[in-house]
Amino acid sequence: MNNSRRRFLQIAGVSALGLGAKPVLNAFAAGGGEGPGYHVARGEDALDAKQWAMVIDTRKFHSSADLEPIIEACNTVHNIPTAIENKNHEIKWIWEAHYHNAFTDKTNNFLNEEVEHRPFPLLCNHCENPPCVRACPTQATFKRERDGIVLMDFHRCIGCRFCMAACPFGARSFNFRDPRPFIRETNNKFPTRMKGVVEKCNFCAERLAVGQMPACVEASNGALAFGDLYDEHSEVRELLKENYTIRRKQTLGTEPSVYYIV
Amino acid sequence: MKDKKKILAGLAVFIAAITFPFWYNMGKAAPAPEVELTAKAKAAKVCVMPTSYMQANHMQLLDVWRHNVTRNGERAFVNADGKLFTMSLSNTCLDCHSNKAQFCDRCHNYASVRPYCWDCHIDNPKGE
């Protein structure tokens, strides 16, 4: 046997070193959510949901003019650079589209003409199974466990645009240039973005956190409803129960959380 | 070592040349910057954490704020004295420290750090 006294002492020595290193490693690992004497918590007014969802009553939209205040409300609140003229550099969080572009898999030859020519507001669908999140190499975009919002951490975005390629709804825009000179009216309470990051609708996470409904919902005169998809008695669930709704590209299996009453 | 003299002379010149900035600036160390507080910051007396902690650790604290606000949706910060703050760079920090040039920049320039906060966050949101 080679398990001599010499060998035993070697192992004992290395073990002692390991035990001694533990407190040092602990000291390095310290520091996270809790610091000296402080703690963080959720705001008192914050609204909660398992999965936020939106139901859009498109019967209330007849022309672009009906959508304009809704889109404008979002643009103003979130410092969207609307003055960019180059269409390829356009930034949009909520925008208007034709039926054929919105519902590419639901275009029969002879559609109800009134429905076909309605303006449809499109935005990030905050999918329950978001492909953009899987594509992001830095976890800059993520699905928030708490409320199901697909959110972006702009600090982390490296501008690789994988998420834009992954999103089947075209809901993401890239800042090809510094957006600041193109913001018509700056809302000082909300940050802008910088050149080189992707952005998209955030379901007004910053407003939900202080107990307000999303800006577009407030500006819609009841055409947009917002609530918890998994609360049986929420406004959106009541609407879904009573109306026939469709979703965009449902067959892809991303489970969009934005429903359209047609 | 035939060229001993040449080599030593060359070495001396070389060392003198690369240490020149140190000789040139000797005794002229840039003074540590004095940050200016706005009237509002002076009146408040204390920041969200003690001043010494903020001086040394404000970047770590901002990192904690950012993480909790975006990832966890937690926006309330309660300090050791039990005082409540909203975790927001633009709306809480800059509400008092609205003088970026005299407050943030002075130290950052002195320490030669270039944080990119202001590429997105609007400095001086109140426009004073």
Side-chain angles (χ1 to χ4, degrees), chain B residues 74-128:
Chain B
E74 291 170 334
R75 292 178 183 241
F77 176 84
V78 184
N79 69 10
D81 301 331
K83 201 156 175 252
L84 180 76
F85 296 92
T86 304
M87 295 195 278
S88 168
L89 176 65
S90 300
N91 302 323
T92 303
C93 304
L94 299 179
D95 186 40
C96 279
H97 302 295
S98 51
N99 53 341
K100 172 176 170 274
Q102 293 89 39
F103 189 77
C104 312
D105 289 352
R106 278 196 187 166
C107 266
H108 289 162
N109 289 343
Y110 176 73
S112 191
V113 289
R114 289 175 187 80
Y116 50 82
C117 312
W118 321 108
D119 288 353
C120 295
H121 291 275
I122 293 158
D123 69 86
N124 191 3
K126 290 181 297 182
E128 281 166 355

Side-chain angles (χ1 to χ4, degrees), chain B residues 14-26:
Chain B
F14 174 71
I15 286 168
I18 62 158
T19 54
F20 174 72
F22 297 97
W23 301 116
Y24 186 72
N25 286 319
M26 199 140 94

